[in-house]
Amino acid sequence: MQASLVPALNGLRVSRETVEKLEHFASLFQKWARSINLVAPSTLGDLWQRHILDSLQLYQLSPAPKTWVDLGSGGGFPGVITAICLSEAENGWVHLVESNNKKAAFLRVALREIGARGSVHPIRIEAAPAEIPNCDAISARALADLSQLLDHCAPWMLMEDSKTVAFFHKGRDYQQEVDKAVSRFQFDLIKHASVVEPDSVVLEIANLSRRTK
C-alpha cells in the first residue's frame, strides 16, 4: 500500500488487493470526473474520505456475499465499492441501477477494468424490480429521503417471506426522515454511526411493512 496515495482507512480492514482496486477506481473516477459530473465538484478534493471510505463502511457492516441492488449509483458510491469488496470474496453481485447514460458508461468501464463483481442497469428505478426480481440487500446514497427510498424498496422488501435488508447513508438530519417514514411504514431499524462523518449514520432497515389506516 502506498501511504501517499491512500489516506488512513479509519479502522476499516481491507486486503492489499482491495486497496489496489480502490486506487484504480479512484484514478478512473478522477479522469472521468473532468468531463462528466459524477459527484458535486466541491467534494472532489476529498474523494477518499468523503466518498470511497464512506461507501466502504457499508460492506464492513454486511460482509457476507450477497446479491445487492444499488439504487441511483451515480459515480459508483456505494455500489462499485461494494462490488470491489465482493471480488475479494469471489461471490455475490451488485446490480447498479443508474438511468443517466454517461454515468452508466463510466460505471461499466470501472467494473470491467477493475474486475469488480457487478453489472449496470441503465434504467429508471421504477423499472428495476422487473429486471432484477430478487436481492438480499439494497443500498442507496445521496438519493432521496427515507420515505421515498422505502417506496423504491417496497417491491423487493414487501414480497412474501422477503429477507431483504436495506442500507442507507444519511446525514445529521436523519431522525426527521425516520419520523416521517414511520407514519407510513413499519420496520426494524439499526442506526450505525458513521466512521467517516460525525453525526452521520448508516440506517439498516429490515422487516418492512406498510401501515394500514
Side-chain angles (χ1 to χ4, degrees), residues 28-102:
L28 279 173
F29 185 94
Q30 290 166 340
K31 177 180 177 181
W32 279 68
R34 297 187 192 110
S35 57
I36 64 174
N37 185 24
L38 294 173
V39 294
S42 61
T43 67
L44 281 174
D46 197 16
L47 177 62
W48 275 93
Q49 188 82 3
R50 184 76 174 270
H51 297 294
I52 294 178
L53 295 186
D54 192 36
S55 298
L56 184 61
Q57 65 179 326
L58 189 63
Y59 184 76
Q60 304 280 317
L61 293 174
S62 186
K66 294 178 175 65
T67 297
W68 289 79
V69 171
D70 186 52
L71 300 176
S73 297
F77 308 115
V80 171
I81 307 304
T82 302
I84 288 172
C85 293
L86 289 174
S87 65
E88 180 179 339
E90 298 182 349
N91 206 338
W93 198 258
V94 183
H95 295 278
L96 295 100
V97 179
E98 176 52 58
S99 62
N100 182 290
N101 287 328
K102 290 183 179 180

Side-chain angles (χ1 to χ4, degrees), residues 29 33 37 51-52 62 107 115-116 128 132 165 169 185 202 209 211:
F29 185 94
N37 185 24
H51 297 294
I52 294 178
S62 186
L107 295 171
I132 314 162
V165 179
H169 291 77
F185 295 96
V202 176
S209 62
R211 290 191 182 275

Side-chain angles (χ1 to χ4, degrees), residues 41-186:
S42 61
T43 67
L44 281 174
D46 197 16
L47 177 62
W48 275 93
Q49 188 82 3
R50 184 76 174 270
H51 297 294
I52 294 178
L53 295 186
D54 192 36
S55 298
L56 184 61
Q57 65 179 326
L58 189 63
Y59 184 76
Q60 304 280 317
L61 293 174
S62 186
K66 294 178 175 65
T67 297
W68 289 79
V69 171
D70 186 52
L71 300 176
S73 297
F77 308 115
V80 171
I81 307 304
T82 302
I84 288 172
C85 293
L86 289 174
S87 65
E88 180 179 339
E90 298 182 349
N91 206 338
W93 198 258
V94 183
H95 295 278
L96 295 100
V97 179
E98 176 52 58
S99 62
N100 182 290
N101 287 328
K102 290 183 179 180
K103 292 179 180 179
F106 163 70
L107 295 171
R108 288 193 196 93
V109 169
L111 292 171
R112 183 176 66 250
E113 286 200 18
I114 298 168
R117 296 185 61 83
S119 54
V120 181
H121 302 262
I123 57 178
R124 293 181 61 82
I125 290 173
E126 293 80 3
E131 192 163 308
I132 314 162
N134 298 290
C135 65
D136 303 310
I138 303 169
S139 58
R141 182 174 179 268
L143 178 64
D145 72 14
L146 183 58
S147 293
Q148 187 174 352
L149 288 172
L150 294 178
D151 281 329
H152 289 325
C153 294
W156 294 287
M157 298 187 74
L158 296 183
M159 292 174 59
E160 187 174 0
D161 298 324
S162 173
K163 302 297 184 183
T164 302
V165 179
F167 295 87
F168 303 130
H169 291 77
K170 286 295 175 183
R172 66 186 62 185
D173 296 327
Y174 70 89
Q175 190 59 51
Q176 295 179 21
E177 295 188 31
V178 172
D179 294 342
K180 178 182 175 183
V182 297
S183 68
R184 298 180 53 221
F185 295 96
Q186 291 179 300

